[in-house]
Amino acid sequence: MSEGSKVLRGTGRAAAGLVVIAAAAASLLVLQGSSIPAFDQTPPSVTVDTTQNSTQTLVCAGAYSVLGADPSRPEAAIPTGAPETVISGEPDAVEALARGEGGDAPPAAITAPAGAAIGAAQVQAVSTETAVGAVASACATPTNEQWLIGGDTSEGVSTTLSIGNAGNVPATVQIELFDENGRVEAAGTKAVLVQPHAEQIVSINGYAPERASLAVHVVSTGAPVTATLGIGRIVGLDPFGVSTVTRQIEASNTLVIPGVTHIDDGHDHGPNDVGEESELGVHVRLLNPLGEEGDVGEARILGLTKKGDRIDLGSLSVVSDAVAEFVVPRWPAEVDAIVVESDLPVVGGALGHATSDDHHDFGWFAPAPVIAADTTVAAPVVDGGELVIANPGDADAEVELAPAAGKTRTVKVAAGAAVAVDASAGGTLTSTRPVHAGVRYTAGGDIDGYPILAPAERDGALTVYTR
């Protein structure tokens, strides 16, 4: 092709391009000056119930694990003995979870239809050379994030974390620790692997030794898990008590902790006065995990009685990311629940003690979630336990207690009151007003407790667009 032909062809292409651009510009001007008909039609859709043919799961921690039970392996937590498990409701199945070693009773996963009122709890009398007392805990629904407040790793105290995975895939669990000085930088807590249908026991002492106050944050990916703390203490060579801690889900400006008590039948200063032995008093432990560095708030601690009296027990400052602890100087015997009102959102727990002439024990009590009005909730009460119902609201509540078999009865809980009642092991609870409930177990010098866990809210409505 000659140079002249190339020039002519290029000129033609340029001219054609200018024509196209001009036409497009003209079309745009026309469109801007005219109205385009709108297409307004909702795509066809259908609403389905996602809870149909689905299940809910509760995981029980199984036998209490004793750290150092094998002298040749002091870092190993070995389950011992067997708890008694109470189930309220009708489960579809109960499956044992795999565990490395020890214990006559492995952890269990309880399944039931979604929406069914079902709950479970366990209690165990622990008696070994290094651990004596009673432990009680609620079986909980697996979740991807949870908090456990209690325990420490000071001299003579062991704290273990039991993580149960009832799912079909492995769970990668991150463990965050907080103490009185703030967040604990502990190596090895970033990726604890828990296999499907199994439980993993972790020694907190190995991650954060010599800590006076602890809070534990458990976050899992891959599968939701259930976590429980086990705490044991020895004084010299003698066992001093054991406890377990049931998890809580999120921080709140108001916490309600039913069942907390202090029983002292073995000292001259009487059952209520802490006296010189302040470590045996009622402790309230709080953590604000949501604030910015330097945030400081105040938390007021109130006691609820069956008559509706709100007793001021004290207050403490709450600093972001640091565990704060308060010892109630004198515990009123008539108080059956604690309410924490905080400027900053907090997670927390309360420590109670029981002492008889020849035995001592302690128990950590966790906050109880609110039970919505007119909602039937399973209320599993272990043998020897009593149900404590707290109504922090401003109106009286009528609480219907329905046993698994027998006659239903109604208990009145006045506004601002907390009452302790005998209840059936496999019963349910329905209230006309929002309330919180827990179970307190005391026998001689033994003590422990757990919250009644209302089921998580499930929105079963899902809109599906068919095209």
Side-chain angles (χ1 to χ4, degrees):
M1 181 181 296
S2 67
E3 292 297 328
S5 299
K6 292 180 180 180
V7 171
L8 290 174
R9 178 168 293 185
T11 302
R13 289 176 177 172
L18 290 174
V19 171
V20 171
I21 293 172
S27 300
L28 182 60
L29 290 174
V30 171
L31 289 174
Q32 288 178 341
S34 61
S35 176
I36 300 176
F39 180 80
D40 185 12
Q41 180 178 347
T42 302
S45 64
V46 60
T47 300
V48 298
D49 182 1
T50 61
T51 64
Q52 289 183 354
N53 301 321
S54 61
T55 60
Q56 57 177 315
T57 302
L58 301 174
V59 176
C60 305
Y64 179 79
S65 297
V66 179
L67 188 64
D70 183 351
S72 65
R73 296 181 297 153
E75 75 289 348
I78 300 176
T80 181
E84 297 178 6
T85 301
V86 170
I87 301 176
S88 175
E90 295 295 331
D92 284 343
V94 179
E95 172 200 6
L97 301 185
R99 185 166 52 193
E101 60 180 318
D104 299 328
I110 300 169
T111 57
I118 189 164
Q122 58 181 40
V123 63
Q124 179 181 351
V126 179
S127 181
T128 72
E129 291 184 359
T130 59
V132 173
V135 293
S137 61
C139 305
T141 303
T143 182
N144 291 104
E145 183 177 11
Q146 53 206 297
W147 291 88
L148 300 111
I149 311 301
D152 60 89
T153 56
S154 57
E155 183 178 0
V157 181
S158 62
T159 301
T160 60
L161 175 66
S162 299
I163 308 171
N165 176 12
N168 296 319
V169 298
T172 301
V173 179
Q174 177 179 329
I175 304 169
E176 291 184 295
L177 305 176
F178 300 80
D179 68 5
E180 61 276 11
N181 297 314
R183 190 184 302 268
V184 177
E185 295 299 331
T189 62
K190 300 302 182 184
V192 176
L193 185 65
V194 185
Q195 296 295 338
H197 305 282
E199 181 187 64
Q200 181 76 25
I201 302 174
V202 177
S203 169
I204 301 299
N205 291 61
Y207 289 132
E210 302 302 323
R211 311 288 173 162
S213 299
L214 281 178
V216 184
H217 186 206
V218 177
V219 179
S220 67
T221 56
V225 299
T226 298
T228 306
L229 281 184
I231 304 157
R233 182 181 178 187
I234 60 174
V235 175
L237 298 177
D238 300 323
F240 192 72
V242 292
S243 180
T244 51
V245 179
T246 300
R247 60 105 170 117
Q248 56 200 281
I249 296 298
E250 60 185 358
S252 175
N253 290 87
T254 301
L255 303 179
V256 180
I257 310 175
V260 185
T261 192
H262 175 63
I263 303 170
D264 192 343
D265 297 328
H267 293 85
D268 293 338
H269 59 252
N272 306 326
D273 190 359
V274 172
E276 296 179 357
E277 301 188 43
S278 62
E279 75 275 9
L280 300 187
V282 172
H283 293 225
V284 178
R285 182 178 297 181
L286 303 174
L287 170 70
N288 166 37
L290 303 177
E292 300 293 335
E293 184 176 356
D295 283 355
V296 179
E298 182 178 5
R300 185 184 178 198
I301 303 167
L302 305 169
L304 304 185
T305 73
K306 65 181 180 180
K307 294 181 179 180
D309 300 324
R310 294 167 66 92
I311 299 176
D312 189 355
L313 300 178
S315 62
L316 74 164
S317 295
V318 179
V319 181
S320 179
D321 278 355
V323 176
E325 193 154 332
F326 175 79
V327 182
V328 179
R330 182 177 178 85
W331 180 255
E334 64 271 25
V335 168
D336 282 313
I338 283 177
V339 174
V340 176
E341 297 177 347
S342 175
D343 297 338
L344 302 175
V346 292
V347 289
L351 173 67
H353 288 263
T355 303
S356 63
D357 290 334
D358 57 356
H359 179 62
H360 177 84
D361 195 14
F362 60 86
W364 279 98
F365 293 79
V370 65
I371 299 172
D374 302 319
T375 300
T376 299
V377 171
V381 180
V382 297
D383 187 25
E386 58 182 346
L387 183 66
V388 180
I389 307 168
N391 173 19
D394 55 6
D396 295 349
E398 300 287 337
V399 181
E400 184 180 270
L401 300 177
K407 186 177 180 181
T408 297
R409 63 192 176 108
T410 299
V411 175
K412 180 180 178 180
V413 185
V419 299
V421 298
D422 294 328
S424 167
T428 61
L429 178 158
T430 310
S431 175
T432 58
R433 305 287 297 180
V435 295
H436 305 251
V439 173
R440 175 172 60 207
Y441 176 85
T442 57
D446 289 336
I447 185 173
D448 213 359
Y450 55 88
I452 296 298
L453 300 179
E457 292 186 3
R458 293 173 57 120
D459 184 1
L462 176 66
T463 301
V464 178
Y465 294 95
T466 58
R467 64 171 62 179

